[in-house]
Amino acid sequence: MFPVEVPLSHLGPPILLLLQLLLPPTSAFFPNIWSLLTAPGSVTHQDLTEEAALNVTLQLFLERPPPGRPRLRLEDYRGRTLLADDIFAAYFGPGSPSRRFRAALGEVSRANAAQDFLPASRNNPDLHFDAERLVQGRTLLVGALRETLVATRAFQHALARQRLGAALHALQDFYSHSNWVELGERQPHPHLLWPRRELWSLAQVGDPTCSDCEELSCPGNMLDFTLLTSGYFGVHPPKPAGKCSHGGHFDQSSSQPPRGGINKDSTSPGFSPHHMLHLQAVEVALLASIEAFSLLRSRLGDRGFSRLLDITPASSLSFVLDTTGSMGEEINAAKVQARRIVEQRQGSPMEPVFYVLVPFHDPGFGPVFTTSDPDSFWQKLNEIHALGGGDEPEMCLSALELALLHTPPLSDIFVFTDASPKDAFLTNRVESLTRERRCRVTFLVTEDPLRVQGRVRREVLSPLRFEPYEAIALASGGEVIFTKDQHIQDVAAIVGESMGGGLVTLPLEPPVFIPGETCVFAVDRLLRQVTIRMHGDISSFWIKNPEGVSQGPEEGIGPLGRTRRFGQFWTVTMTDPPQTGSWEIQIAAEGIPRVRVQAQTSLDFLFHYGIPMEDGPHPGLYPLTQPVAGLRTQLLVEVTGLVSRQNPEEGRPHFSHVVLRRVPEGTHLGRVPLEPGGPPERGLLAASLPPTLLSDSAPFSLELVGQDGGGQGLRRTAPQPCTVAPVLLELSGPPGFLAPGSKAPLSLHIASFSGPQDLDLRTSVNPSFSLTSNLSRAHLGQNESAWGRLWLEVPDSAAPDSVVMVTVTAVGQGASPVPPTHAFLQLLVLAQASQDQPETPAHSADRVLPPATPALLSSTLVTQDRAGGRVVDKAWWGTVGGVLFLLGCSSW
């Protein structure tokens, strides 16, 4: 436990009053908590990042009392472990979902941990304060913080969190990899975030810093306790005579005199020669991380800082609108719903925090409009009218892709149209982007797929022309709702109903609805506002609760709840609290009706995947956004809504296993036990995915099964189905920003672990900058890799503070059944000179963040052959080398 009395004068008032909070006792530091099997008792980058963020978030809550709720008291948190669920429930009210906040913290933590795994960053000494590269490391550190500020202000929240994770990793490494703690310092370096101040007393090239140490533990190997130094790692750059090594079993430089090392990454002497100072380094690194978060808060303001970390239970509002002449009713419906949402939620915790609007027609789409101001959004929406056009199809998917690039993760996007997509070739890429951004897409289509009259058509259109919408809805966890103009105003009410921050979809058994047969779903005591939505050619239905009480299709208030009908669209909202247990639905209909059951709850889960990295200098789980065929993969689950201050008699909900099903058929693929990954209050669970699942690229669903605190059944389903990537595809760029008029080299790497692959590699960039590549094809055998190089030219006219998205797609050649794999890379364009500098304390007017240096990361070898520039080699796949980040990588 860190003492509350620890001062940090240059931070000013009571920001560190929160440091009496306990760190997890069994939780460098090593990358993430999954590293602790190797070094129990160590504190990881993930721990430091989340603890610092929670400290500053609690400080914000203490300073800004919630409207209409009691002020939080610091004494209630003394001596307790800070948990996001607890402080959210205390501030926003019981049941307020913390899922978005937890997800944002996870993005920052995974970006932090990835610095130790990504090929482009793991061996760069400047990014880890190794090899006495202290001045260079500080330049990249403050550059990453500057990029965090700019990306946040540009509403590029995902990119901002990635850059923040990279900055925090470097900052924390300074205290573990340098001898700052060995010099007796117990406070963060006062000049590390302010590069116009000297770091002072830096060891020079000729200054010996370490003596020889042949033991694992090297407590007395520092020669000079006045000069600031850091250890060398590996062979690049080579260690000069007399210099300290990083140390540990996997550091090649530590076998060269002087042997040993000085890192404090863990409590294990096999990894950390200065393991005895690990907790001291942790203490200072935590203070420094809190300082960095506080600096961002002071510069962004509380509202901007809250957007950066998604400190809200509310969702964003994102509309994609067809503006052709036949869309008058649909546009009016969107306006009505937007106005209703703003008016009903204004001033409440559920008021949307961000608004996105993308219009489209043919042949154009956009521009995108983004704002955090509801009045500005309403004004822009009011300017949209149905004009011109009238023919089909339209540029719907291009507009949706643009919305996905600007909508925060874990958001709902609503598409209003009456036309099929002209740009259906984008379907697979948009599907992948919805998974990468974890956004749910709902299409409101005022066009029956079998109807042929209405719009002017250039050609006879297929009745299957709406299948791209169906595919994207399935991939994103959304739905396609067909209705008519006269009902769109009422059907569009699902926009508000779907925007609850705690909305979950309940699993149906069987998952595929068969008319005339009974379908079952389970309701637990943590669910509220249970709603059944049905649409199709339905003639009748009945719903039965666990006590045998039933309700039919009669509109109005019935014994179970309220029934509404709008054409072929039905909703039944159950009266709260709903009866717990097994409910039944039976429907009589022509064709296959669409059925969805949703409810509000604070108990939900987040998930991602990881590859075990057990044998290297930084063991842990390397994060992936989806499994990769042929690789041993862990499913990592984070349960949200586990409030520790609940009634002790109720007990704590827990999940015991995960059920895997094929999508959409619902075929049972297996049941895998979940193992806890830390203290139960953190809700961290892991499961090893079966190899048979990883051999098939078809989508599958995740369903967590367990019990609530009273021993009753509990089920939660992931909002989106998952897919297995056939290959591992990685795209990386420079660690800093792009400047107008520059040419940036990007690195591409592709590997196959499941068998031979014959692939075409296609590239695109948004906006349309010049992009060239020397790798257009890859012919891979099992466990083979290929490397390539791309060059991105940024024109002089590129807008500063803008974002560039580069996409690479690997597509199977010929009749290959391999589905496409996508890699997305976001890069920030900044002017060399910027006024966007952090505000500084009055007593330190020269503390200003300079422009970041866009130094290129070390690159891979590229040779030429008839297929284009590439080199094919055996991919060494252990648990240290060859691991690549699949999707969502950013430039570090």
Side-chain angles (χ1 to χ4, degrees):
M1 184 168 70
F2 295 105
V4 67
E5 293 81 5
V6 174
L8 193 58
S9 58
H10 58 279
L11 269 187
I15 188 166
L16 294 182
L17 289 178
L18 310 178
L19 288 179
Q20 77 285 357
L21 306 171
L22 280 172
L23 281 172
T26 56
S27 62
F29 310 116
F30 281 173
N32 46 42
I33 66 165
W34 313 102
S35 310
L36 301 181
L37 294 175
T38 304
S42 300
V43 178
T44 68
H45 280 293
Q46 179 180 353
D47 293 318
L48 291 169
T49 299
E50 294 180 357
E51 287 293 326
L54 289 172
N55 268 271
V56 178
T57 300
L58 180 56
Q59 185 70 27
L60 185 154
F61 287 171
L62 290 168
E63 294 173 0
R64 297 176 62 90
R69 291 191 51 76
R71 178 188 292 268
L72 271 64
R73 303 183 307 167
L74 179 60
E75 51 267 30
D76 291 339
Y77 298 91
R78 293 187 188 276
R80 298 179 61 92
T81 299
L82 265 188
L83 298 171
D85 293 339
D86 283 353
I87 64 175
F88 250 62
Y91 189 79
F92 293 110
S96 297
S98 62
R99 186 170 182 263
R100 298 175 63 85
F101 178 53
R102 295 273 296 271
L105 290 186
E107 287 181 66
V108 177
S109 296
R110 287 192 293 276
N112 184 327
Q115 293 292 91
D116 280 334
F117 299 136
L118 289 167
S121 61
R122 67 185 179 212
N123 295 323
N124 187 335
D126 295 357
L127 297 175
H128 304 277
F129 282 100
D130 289 334
E132 296 186 323
R133 304 278 293 177
L134 303 180
V135 174
Q136 297 89 337
R138 180 174 63 174
T139 299
L140 292 181
L141 163 62
V142 296
L145 286 175
R146 179 189 171 207
E147 292 176 60
T148 302
L149 289 172
V150 173
T152 302
R153 289 180 165 178
F155 302 125
Q156 293 291 336
H157 307 93
L159 177 58
R161 292 166 197 153
Q162 291 170 355
R163 300 307 296 140
L164 176 56
L168 290 171
H169 186 99
L171 179 65
Q172 294 157 6
D173 270 357
F174 174 83
Y175 298 100
S176 179
H177 295 182
S178 78
N179 65 329
W180 180 255
V181 172
E182 285 85 344
L183 292 173
E185 300 290 348
R186 293 297 179 265
Q187 301 297 320
H189 196 301
H191 300 167
L192 193 59
L193 298 181
W194 317 108
R196 294 188 182 180
R197 299 289 290 267
E198 292 186 10
L199 292 180
W200 78 64
S201 301
L202 298 180
Q204 303 301 308
V205 174
D207 295 327
T209 54
C210 270
S211 62
D212 192 57
C213 172
E214 60 181 356
E215 305 295 331
L216 292 178
S217 183
C218 301
N221 62 337
M222 298 295 304
L223 288 178
D224 193 317
F225 279 85
T226 62
L227 298 178
L228 185 61
T229 185
S230 67
Y232 284 74
F233 182 85
V235 296
H236 300 293
K239 182 177 73 171
K243 292 297 185 180
C244 299
S245 289
H246 177 86
H249 289 313
F250 296 93
D251 177 12
Q252 297 179 51
S253 76
S254 65
S255 62
Q256 305 166 7
R259 293 169 294 177
I262 64 170
N263 92 73
K264 298 160 284 295
D265 284 348
S266 73
T267 57
S268 168
F271 289 95
S272 303
H274 281 198
H275 59 95
M276 72 294 296
L277 296 174
H278 173 71
L279 292 182
Q280 288 94 317
V282 164
E283 187 173 327
V284 186
L286 179 59
L287 296 176
S289 300
I290 290 175
E291 180 182 9
F293 275 110
S294 301
L295 177 64
L296 291 171
R297 181 189 169 198
S298 69
R299 190 67 182 96
L300 293 168
D302 287 347
R303 183 164 184 154
F305 183 75
S306 296
R307 284 199 304 270
L308 171 63
L309 294 184
D310 239 339
I311 307 176
T312 174
S315 181
S316 300
L317 182 59
S318 187
F319 281 170
V320 178
L321 285 180
D322 186 342
T323 61
T324 46
S326 58
M327 284 291 295
E329 289 293 333
E330 292 84 345
I331 293 172
N332 287 334
K335 292 177 180 179
V336 168
Q337 290 306 314
R339 172 56 71 184
R340 183 176 300 168
I341 290 167
V342 170
E343 290 178 346
Q344 291 179 348
R345 305 187 184 193
Q346 194 165 20
S348 76
M350 299 310 296
E351 179 181 358
V353 294
F354 193 64
Y355 303 85
V356 179
L357 177 62
V358 183
F360 71 93
H361 48 88
D362 181 32
F365 61 93
V368 61
F369 175 79
T370 60
T371 182
S372 60
D373 177 32
D375 293 331
S376 297
F377 177 73
W378 174 247
Q379 180 180 351
K380 179 61 66 173
L381 189 58
N382 254 346
E383 294 173 0
I384 291 182
H385 301 282
L387 298 172
D391 53 356
E392 186 180 357
E394 308 288 353
M395 300 293 286
C396 180
L397 300 192
S398 298
L400 176 56
E401 182 179 40
L402 190 59
L404 282 163
L405 294 177
H406 291 84
T407 299
L410 295 175
S411 295
D412 280 281
I413 299 176
F414 300 94
V415 182
F416 291 79
T417 186
D418 62 355
S420 56
K422 182 178 183 179
D423 43 8
F425 63 90
L426 292 174
T427 300
N428 188 267
R429 192 165 83 190
V430 172
E431 287 180 53
S432 295
L433 197 53
T434 64
R435 284 190 288 263
E436 196 266 338
R437 305 288 286 190
R438 293 166 294 160
C439 285
R440 181 168 49 199
V441 182
T442 297
F443 294 87
L444 297 171
V445 183
T446 47
E447 168 82 313
D448 190 297
L450 301 178
R451 186 157 52 94
V452 295
Q453 68 271 16
R455 278 179 177 251
V456 177
R457 289 169 171 82
R458 301 187 184 96
E459 57 187 19
V460 176
L461 297 174
S462 166
L464 303 178
R465 63 190 180 279
F466 293 106
E467 282 198 346
Y469 298 163
E470 302 281 4
I472 292 169
L474 177 65
S476 70
E479 57 186 320
V480 181
I481 298 174
F482 292 99
T483 186
K484 297 180 180 180
D485 282 352
Q486 61 265 38
H487 300 304
I488 186 62
Q489 292 277 359
D490 296 308
V491 173
I494 71 162
V495 173
E497 297 169 0
S498 300
M499 283 189 58
L503 186 71
V504 296
T505 299
L506 305 186
L508 299 174
E509 185 64 45
V512 178
F513 206 92
I514 301 174
E517 295 192 7
T518 300
C519 189
V520 178
F521 66 94
V523 172
D524 59 73
R525 62 188 180 90
L526 301 176
L527 299 175
R528 292 294 182 270
Q529 300 177 37
V530 176
T531 300
I532 301 172
R533 296 211 299 254
M534 301 165 282
H535 47 108
D537 191 2
I538 298 171
S539 57
S540 181
F541 66 85
W542 57 258
I543 301 167
K544 184 184 296 184
N545 75 0
E547 293 183 342
V549 179
S550 62
Q551 180 167 321
E554 296 79 15
E555 294 187 64
I557 304 296
L560 300 180
R562 182 187 180 194
T563 299
R564 293 175 294 170
R565 179 186 181 182
F566 313 110
Q568 293 188 336
F569 183 76
W570 301 75
T571 67
V572 183
T573 303
M574 306 306 167
T575 304
D576 278 337
Q579 181 72 36
T580 60
S582 181
W583 289 61
E584 298 179 356
I585 311 173
Q586 194 172 94
I587 299 176
E590 290 291 329
I592 305 297
R594 302 165 187 257
V595 182
R596 173 170 293 221
V597 183
Q598 294 181 314
Q600 293 287 337
T601 182
S602 60
L603 186 73
D604 201 356
F605 71 97
L606 301 161
F607 70 96
H608 65 283
Y609 300 94
I611 301 297
M613 307 277 286
E614 300 163 348
D615 301 328
H618 299 102
L621 283 177
Y622 179 29
L624 299 173
T625 55
Q626 67 184 113
V628 178
L631 291 184
R632 182 165 62 98
T633 304
Q634 293 279 312
L635 168 68
L636 309 176
V637 172
E638 185 174 354
V639 181
T640 64
L642 294 174
V643 179
S644 63
R645 300 188 183 189
Q646 60 191 358
N647 187 341
E649 298 179 358
E650 295 180 356
R652 186 187 302 278
H654 70 278
F655 293 101
S656 58
H657 60 277
V658 59
V659 174
L660 309 171
R661 298 180 186 274
R662 183 65 65 211
V663 174
E665 302 87 349
T667 308
H668 190 275
L669 297 176
R671 165 177 162 157
V672 183
L674 289 165
E675 301 294 337
E681 63 268 18
R682 295 188 72 174
L684 301 176
L685 306 167
S688 297
L689 295 182
T692 52
L693 177 71
L694 301 178
S695 62
D696 192 338
S697 60
F700 62 94
S701 67
L702 299 173
E703 181 182 329
L704 267 59
V705 180
Q707 293 182 336
D708 63 18
Q712 301 300 310
L714 197 61
R715 306 168 82 92
R716 292 291 184 270
T717 300
Q720 295 179 321
C722 309
T723 59
V724 177
V727 294
L728 198 57
L729 186 63
E730 189 256 349
L731 180 63
S732 59
F737 61 87
L738 304 176
S742 65
K743 187 173 184 178
L746 314 177
S747 295
L748 177 65
H749 183 254
I750 184 169
S752 173
F753 302 97
S754 59
Q757 303 284 357
D758 194 12
L759 303 166
D760 284 327
L761 297 170
R762 303 167 185 174
T763 61
S764 65
V765 59
N766 186 2
S768 299
F769 296 168
S770 174
L771 180 68
T772 56
S773 172
N774 67 357
L775 182 61
S776 60
R777 289 186 178 181
H779 308 281
L780 304 176
Q782 187 167 352
N783 295 326
E784 287 188 343
S785 293
W787 290 263
R789 176 74 78 185
L790 293 80
W791 288 267
L792 176 66
E793 295 187 30
V794 184
D796 294 328
S797 58
D801 301 350
S802 61
V803 173
V804 179
M805 172 69 89
V806 180
T807 304
V808 175
T809 303
V811 182
Q813 294 184 24
S816 172
V818 176
T821 302
H822 302 269
F824 303 101
L825 173 65
Q826 283 189 307
L827 300 162
L828 192 62
V829 177
L830 293 182
Q832 288 288 351
S834 173
Q835 299 303 313
D836 186 14
Q837 307 293 351
E839 296 172 357
T840 59
H843 62 277
S844 181
D846 57 341
R847 293 180 177 179
V848 180
L849 291 184
T853 302
L856 177 66
L857 295 171
S858 56
S859 60
T860 52
L861 175 66
V862 178
T863 60
Q864 298 290 329
D865 71 358
R866 63 182 177 83
R870 71 182 185 99
V871 58
V872 176
D873 197 1
K874 294 291 182 182
W876 176 62
W877 183 253
T879 50
V880 120
V883 189
L884 303 176
F885 198 49
L886 180 63
L887 292 177
C889 298
S890 177
S891 65
W892 279 312

